[in-house]
Amino acid sequence: MEVDVIGSAGAVTEEQVKGRSVAVIDVFRATSVMVTAFRNGAREIIPMTGIEESFRLRDRLAAEHAARGDSGPVLLGGERKTVIIEGFDLDNSPLRYTPEVVRDATIVMSTTNGTRAVNSAQGWAAEIYVAALLNADAVARRLGESRRDVALICSGRNDRFTIEDALCAGMMARYLGEHHGYTLTDIAWWCADVYERYEADLQSALDHCEHYHRIKERWSEDIAWCLERNVSTVTPRITNEGGIRP
């Protein structure tokens, strides 16, 4: 069995993910938001690429919930270029997705990179999980239990490779190799090696990360949370209908 790493959402091809167990990673910040939301009681997240279609889906789901007397809220969450989308309830800060806000909620989410990456393997992969440093070992364990080849999709930023996603992929690739006997492709081995070298101080690896330097001043508290490791055991998975459930 093999674990491979794909460097950005735009690099995903059918050949790389078909029949594989897949995890999508966007540490800063989409998958960290999703993991946090489920950790705090969210019911479902529906990843969307477009803004207008997100509004339409929110309105339809809200009407359906009202018709059947469902008390759980339907919320819009996401960003474009790190800024909340006008008319949305939440941005892309995991710290906003508190239990008081998201408990029992259905969240329609659209982000610049992460939701596109989540949708990139649908229709090809055998199963798709959502991973971040927050739940890396839990998802790696589920992937290993599948006994299938694995693909770890790093969302990246604007179809460019990012270090923070590679660190998470390396952490998961190492787990799969050590605990489930997976062989690592060249890029998976490289990610695992970099993670091991910086395991005791991830911040020092990020000193070389362009994406980190773009957001560190404004989102320092978010970054600190997103760099926490294994604080959650949730393993969010895409359903056949396209939503994500814990």
Side-chain angles (χ1 to χ4, degrees), residues 19-47:
R20 292 190 174 218
S21 293
V22 168
V24 177
I25 301 163
D26 187 357
V27 172
F28 294 155
R29 294 167 288 164
T31 59
S32 295
V33 168
M34 294 176 186
V35 173
T36 303
F38 285 126
R39 182 177 185 262
N40 289 336
R43 179 185 303 172
E44 183 176 20
I45 294 174
I46 303 175

Side-chain angles (χ1 to χ4, degrees), residues 58 61 89 105:
R58 186 275 311 271
L61 291 176
D89 303 291

Side-chain angles (χ1 to χ4, degrees), residues 55-70 72-75 106 108:
F55 281 112
R56 289 195 295 270
L57 179 59
R58 186 275 311 271
D59 293 344
R60 178 170 66 80
L61 291 176
E64 292 175 358
H65 283 208
R68 64 174 180 257
D70 190 336
V74 181
L75 304 174
T106 297
V108 178

Side-chain angles (χ1 to χ4, degrees), residues 4-242:
D4 194 17
V5 175
I6 301 171
S8 70
V12 177
T13 66
E14 179 179 0
E15 180 182 3
Q16 290 172 302
V17 298
K18 188 173 183 178
R20 292 190 174 218
S21 293
V22 168
V24 177
I25 301 163
D26 187 357
V27 172
F28 294 155
R29 294 167 288 164
T31 59
S32 295
V33 168
M34 294 176 186
V35 173
T36 303
F38 285 126
R39 182 177 185 262
N40 289 336
R43 179 185 303 172
E44 183 176 20
I45 294 174
I46 303 175
M48 304 291 285
T49 53
I51 294 174
E52 292 306 317
E53 63 180 339
S54 298
F55 281 112
R56 289 195 295 270
L57 179 59
R58 186 275 311 271
D59 293 344
R60 178 170 66 80
L61 291 176
E64 292 175 358
H65 283 208
R68 64 174 180 257
D70 190 336
S71 60
V74 181
L75 304 174
L76 288 169
E79 52 74 37
R80 287 296 183 274
K81 298 181 179 179
T82 77
V83 177
I84 188 171
I85 299 167
E86 185 176 356
F88 273 39
D89 303 291
L90 295 161
D91 59 10
N92 206 36
S93 168
L95 302 183
R96 307 286 190 269
Y97 291 70
T98 62
E100 295 77 16
V101 173
V102 302
R103 187 176 289 114
D104 296 325
T106 297
I107 304 169
V108 178
M109 182 174 290
S110 181
T111 69
T112 306
N113 301 293
T115 54
R116 185 163 65 94
V118 168
N119 290 328
S120 66
Q122 289 196 60
W124 297 330
E127 56 182 356
I128 305 172
Y129 290 92
V130 168
L133 290 168
L134 300 169
N135 68 336
D137 282 1
V139 173
R141 186 179 308 115
R142 291 291 296 271
L143 294 171
E145 289 168 353
S146 76
R147 313 306 294 171
R148 298 186 188 95
D149 286 342
V150 165
L152 305 176
I153 300 174
C154 298
S155 295
R157 178 178 178 271
N158 297 330
D159 290 334
R160 296 177 68 181
F161 174 87
T162 60
I163 291 172
E164 73 277 4
D165 291 344
L167 289 169
C168 183
M171 180 179 175
M172 296 175 69
R174 184 180 72 170
Y175 185 101
L176 287 162
E178 291 181 350
H179 294 276
H180 294 278
Y182 276 72
T183 59
L184 277 59
T185 63
D186 288 5
I187 188 172
W189 178 89
W190 182 87
C191 289
D193 182 66
V194 171
Y195 176 76
E196 288 177 8
R197 281 190 281 144
Y198 288 97
E199 182 175 8
D201 184 13
L202 296 185
Q203 198 77 44
S204 61
L206 295 177
D207 287 341
H208 308 281
C209 177
E210 178 186 0
H211 189 199
Y212 166 73
H213 285 292
R214 285 178 178 271
I215 67 174
K216 67 178 182 177
E217 298 301 329
R218 185 173 183 182
W219 303 111
S220 59
E221 291 183 352
D222 282 10
I223 288 170
W225 171 248
C226 293
L227 293 179
E228 293 287 336
R229 283 167 276 183
N230 295 327
V231 296
S232 177
T233 58
V234 300
T235 54
R237 181 177 175 178
I238 296 184
T239 68
N240 292 334
E241 295 74 28

